[in-house]
């Protein structure tokens, strides 16, 4: 059991940083989704975080950092194009996979030679990371704050609904309002000559190409394991069906130009792809809350952020 803290003053963030340093868990907001954080150098804390999530122990976890100083602590042999990406998109919804240093232990990298780093763009997250740094911390390992395979939480209430029964009294849930992006960070493999995108997100392939001046390659899935790339992921309890032909009593998520069939329950009516990304997970949760058996989703078309939204919808529908 663990309460939501909604007034996150600097004092609260200091206390949360102390909590991380002494092995506690802290759920915190980011601009993508909420994460459940542990000291990236504390094996026991990370083990407990995995247990809370019911996540397989050999899955790698993203290390969240306060500033660029921390990059060399965790990673080495950093290509120039990765520096360009950091400069252009950090803090922001982007995770870079880089060669690890000996500081990144097997329990964060999932026994791989690669570490995932991200500097999130949320004031609360950045201040928490800065306070953690002041007391000697180097990074906060944080997966999305949901049970393994479930929909990522985009507000503190959703974190609480997912994890409160599994957290200890000393653990904290920080409330920083709704996540403004709404889908998880773009994961970019920076260990080859060219970048490749392992998980799509708000930093799009077009943006990576523009920033690096390089061709974005197709990912080599035999080389790196990304848990969110498993077929069934980001899935609600309800059955997800792609298409807008919802029958009476079934849920519907679609852009605002699509009308709701008679008797169907409209769960989201986004007017832009940005709004679609921001509201998708909340709408899936709402469908589950209402006990709907089936949710129809009409995917957005086009490139950019729509690619990430379609990816998550396909996974929610187990179409991988
Ligand atoms: O937006 C996000 O990335 C959110 C927020 C909290 O930062 N985090 C998130 O974490 O989505 P998670 O654990 O739910 O998904 C991260 C993905 C996983 O699929 C994991 O396999 C991959 O990143 N990943 C992390 N570190 C990795 C590594 N060293 N090598 C390969 N994949 C890695
Ligand atoms: Mg996740």
């Amino acid at each position: 059991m663990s309460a939501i803290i909604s007034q996150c003053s600097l004092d609260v963030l200091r206390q949360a940083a102390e909590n991380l340093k002494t092995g506690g868990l802290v759920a915190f907001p980011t601009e993508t989704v909420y994460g459940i954080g542990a000291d990236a150098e504390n094996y026991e804390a990370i083990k407990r975080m995995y247990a809370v999530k019911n996540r397989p122990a050999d899955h790698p976890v993203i290390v969240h950092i306060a500033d660029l100083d921390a990059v060399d602590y965790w990673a080495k042999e950093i290509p120039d194009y990765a520096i360009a990406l950091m400069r252009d998109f950090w803090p922001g919804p982007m995770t870079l996979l880089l060669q690890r240093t000996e500081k990144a232990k097997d329990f964060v990298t999932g026994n791989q030679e690669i570490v995932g780093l991200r500097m999130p763009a949320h004031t609360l997250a950045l201040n928490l990371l800065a306070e953690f740094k002041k007391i000697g911390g180097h990074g906060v390992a944080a997966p999305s704050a949901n049970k393994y395979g479930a929909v990522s939480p985009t507000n503190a209430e959703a974190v609480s609904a997912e994890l409160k029964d599994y957290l200890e009294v000393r653990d904290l849930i920080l409330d920083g309002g709704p996540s403004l992006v709404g889908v998880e960070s773009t994961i970019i493999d920076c260990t080859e000559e060219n970048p490749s995108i392992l998980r799509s997100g708000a930093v799009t392939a077009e943006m990576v190409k523009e920033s690096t001046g390089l061709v974005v390659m197709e990912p080599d899935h035999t080389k790196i394991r990304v848990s969110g790339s498993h077929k069934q992921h980001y899935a609600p309890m309800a059955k997800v069906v792609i298409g807008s032909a919802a029958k009476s009593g079934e849920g519907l998520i679609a852009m605002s130009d699509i009308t709701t069939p008679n008797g169907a329950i409209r769960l989201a009516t986004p007017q832009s792809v940005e709004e679609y990304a921001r509201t998708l997970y909340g709408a899936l949760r709402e469908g589950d809350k209402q006990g709907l058996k089936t949710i129809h989703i009409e995917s957005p078309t086009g490139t950019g952020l729509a690619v990430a939204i379609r990816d998550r919808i396909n996974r929610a529908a187990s179409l991988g």
Side-chain angles (χ1 to χ4, degrees), residues 146-316:
N146 51 275
K147 282 285 185 188
Y148 182 66
V151 177
S152 297
T154 50
N155 59 49
E157 290 70 37
V159 175
S160 181
E162 284 277 331
L163 302 182
K164 73 170 187 310
D165 292 343
Y166 309 92
L167 293 172
E168 294 178 1
V169 179
R170 64 170 166 159
D171 301 330
L172 301 171
I173 300 174
L174 306 182
D175 185 352
S179 296
L180 291 180
V181 175
V183 292
E184 302 80 358
S185 63
T186 308
I187 300 180
I188 307 173
D189 178 13
C190 296
T191 63
E192 300 288 339
E193 246 167 73
N194 285 58
S196 62
I197 295 181
L198 295 182
R199 182 175 72 184
S200 50
V203 172
T204 64
E206 295 87 342
M207 290 158 75
V208 174
K209 184 165 175 252
E210 172 81 21
S211 164
T212 62
L214 294 172
V215 173
V216 180
M217 306 299 280
E218 283 304 311
D220 178 359
H221 281 300
T222 58
K223 197 186 93 182
I224 298 174
R225 286 176 288 117
V226 178
S227 73
S229 69
H230 287 180
K231 217 172 141 195
Q232 187 161 26
H233 222 90
Y234 313 111
M237 313 290 276
K239 180 176 184 254
V240 171
V241 178
I242 307 225
S244 56
K247 296 194 208 63
S248 185
E250 295 180 338
L252 175 65
I253 298 170
M255 292 289 276
S256 58
D257 58 338
I258 290 168
T259 52
T260 312
N262 254 344
I265 297 144
R266 192 68 177 237
L267 297 167
T269 315
Q271 305 203 23
S272 64
V273 281
E274 287 77 18
E275 189 183 347
Y276 204 131
R278 197 161 60 237
T279 54
L280 175 63
Y281 288 163
L284 291 172
R285 277 180 192 285
E286 179 57 29
D288 278 348
K289 213 162 145 188
Q290 294 189 24
L292 303 185
K293 298 265 181 303
T294 306
I295 300 174
H296 286 252
I297 310 185
E298 185 77 42
S299 300
T301 54
T303 54
L305 187 55
V307 174
I309 299 171
R310 284 198 298 275
D311 169 70
R312 304 309 192 276
I313 292 171
N314 288 344
R315 289 183 206 294

Side-chain angles (χ1 to χ4, degrees), residues 42-230:
N42 185 330
Y43 173 65
E44 290 302 323
I46 289 185
K47 211 166 78 178
R48 190 158 69 82
M49 182 254 281
Y50 275 50
V52 163
K53 271 186 65 87
N54 197 23
R55 188 187 213 207
D58 64 343
H59 278 225
V61 66
I62 298 170
V63 178
H64 295 70
I65 54 175
D67 52 42
L68 289 175
D69 288 349
V71 173
D72 291 334
Y73 185 84
W74 296 105
K76 61 183 182 187
E77 295 159 36
I78 298 159
D80 287 347
Y81 73 79
I83 310 271
L85 290 169
M86 292 173 198
R87 192 189 53 216
D88 286 348
F89 304 121
W90 273 356
M94 176 185 77
T95 297
L96 300 184
L97 301 185
L98 298 158
Q99 286 303 330
R100 69 169 170 181
T101 63
E102 78 287 354
K103 304 290 187 199
K105 304 291 187 215
D106 283 346
F107 58 82
V108 241
T109 70
N111 303 309
Q112 303 178 95
E113 290 305 313
I114 292 164
V115 63
L117 296 182
R118 173 157 119 82
M119 192 193 297
H122 190 293
T123 315
L124 257 181
L126 283 174
N127 279 291
L128 173 66
L129 292 166
E131 290 302 322
F132 187 58
K133 182 181 174 177
K134 280 187 200 159
I135 54 171
H138 289 100
V140 174
S144 51
N146 51 275
K147 282 285 185 188
Y148 182 66
V151 177
S152 297
T154 50
N155 59 49
E157 290 70 37
V159 175
S160 181
E162 284 277 331
L163 302 182
K164 73 170 187 310
D165 292 343
Y166 309 92
L167 293 172
E168 294 178 1
V169 179
R170 64 170 166 159
D171 301 330
L172 301 171
I173 300 174
L174 306 182
D175 185 352
S179 296
L180 291 180
V181 175
V183 292
E184 302 80 358
S185 63
T186 308
I187 300 180
I188 307 173
D189 178 13
C190 296
T191 63
E192 300 288 339
E193 246 167 73
N194 285 58
S196 62
I197 295 181
L198 295 182
R199 182 175 72 184
S200 50
V203 172
T204 64
E206 295 87 342
M207 290 158 75
V208 174
K209 184 165 175 252
E210 172 81 21
S211 164
T212 62
L214 294 172
V215 173
V216 180
M217 306 299 280
E218 283 304 311
D220 178 359
H221 281 300
T222 58
K223 197 186 93 182
I224 298 174
R225 286 176 288 117
V226 178
S227 73
S229 69
H230 287 180

